[in-house]
Amino acid sequence: MIIWISGAYGVGKSTLADAMAARMEKPLIFDAEEVGNAVRGNYLDCPYGFIFEDYPLGGEFCRKLLKDIHHSFRKDILVPMTLVRRESHANIIKALIREGIETHLIILEASWQSIHDRILARGEDEGCWCMKNTEMARAASKALPGGIHIHTDGRTVEELTGMALKAVGVQ
């Protein structure tokens, strides 16, 4: 099973993935950002900007690598990575499902203030790229088709982990 965890930058995707991993049978946490950095880093002058999904091969490489890891190792895979383009849902999530891989999309939501405070708490500066793009990412996350939407405000990591695991059928 692949569980993609999306939501605005700073909403708690990696925190949730780590907490879920601690309660699952040795899953892999897939760093899609490394794939995005490899794709973007090999183009001259970032022609498509800073959002990995805007690079033509970014989503395709993620999907193919996830499929290969899933088939080769038969492990559950957690992917904490923001999706902001509707096409990515079709090109990654829906494509994996069509290929017969059980795939879930969890979309974490939080208030702007909660996200702002979390970004500052992790050591980033006021006005950093994540902060400047919070509203875009919040709106884009809400617009993704399907998915399991989980509001994080006022909930502990333990509560969120239980909700997420239950939603994907892992107890």
Side-chain angles (χ1 to χ4, degrees), residues 2 4 42 60 72 83 102 147 163 166:
I2 296 173
W4 193 293
N42 282 288
E60 181 181 350
S72 297
L83 292 178
E102 180 182 358
M163 293 170 70
K166 183 177 180 184

Side-chain angles (χ1 to χ4, degrees), residues 82-117:
T82 300
L83 292 178
V84 296
R85 306 291 187 237
R86 289 180 65 87
E87 304 83 37
S88 296
H89 182 268
N91 296 336
I92 301 171
I93 306 299
K94 288 289 189 184
L96 289 166
I97 293 168
R98 280 192 308 274
E99 293 172 0
I101 300 171
E102 180 182 358
T103 304
H104 300 276
L105 173 62
I106 294 175
I107 301 167
L108 299 181
E109 297 178 354
S111 68
W112 180 90
Q113 189 64 53
S114 291
I115 292 169
H116 172 271
D117 295 347

Side-chain angles (χ1 to χ4, degrees), residues 18-25 27 157-159 161-162 165 170-171:
D18 289 341
M20 290 174 71
R23 291 183 43 188
M24 295 172 72
E25 187 68 33
V157 173
E158 293 77 23
E159 289 173 312
T161 302
L165 290 171
V170 176
Q171 301 296 327

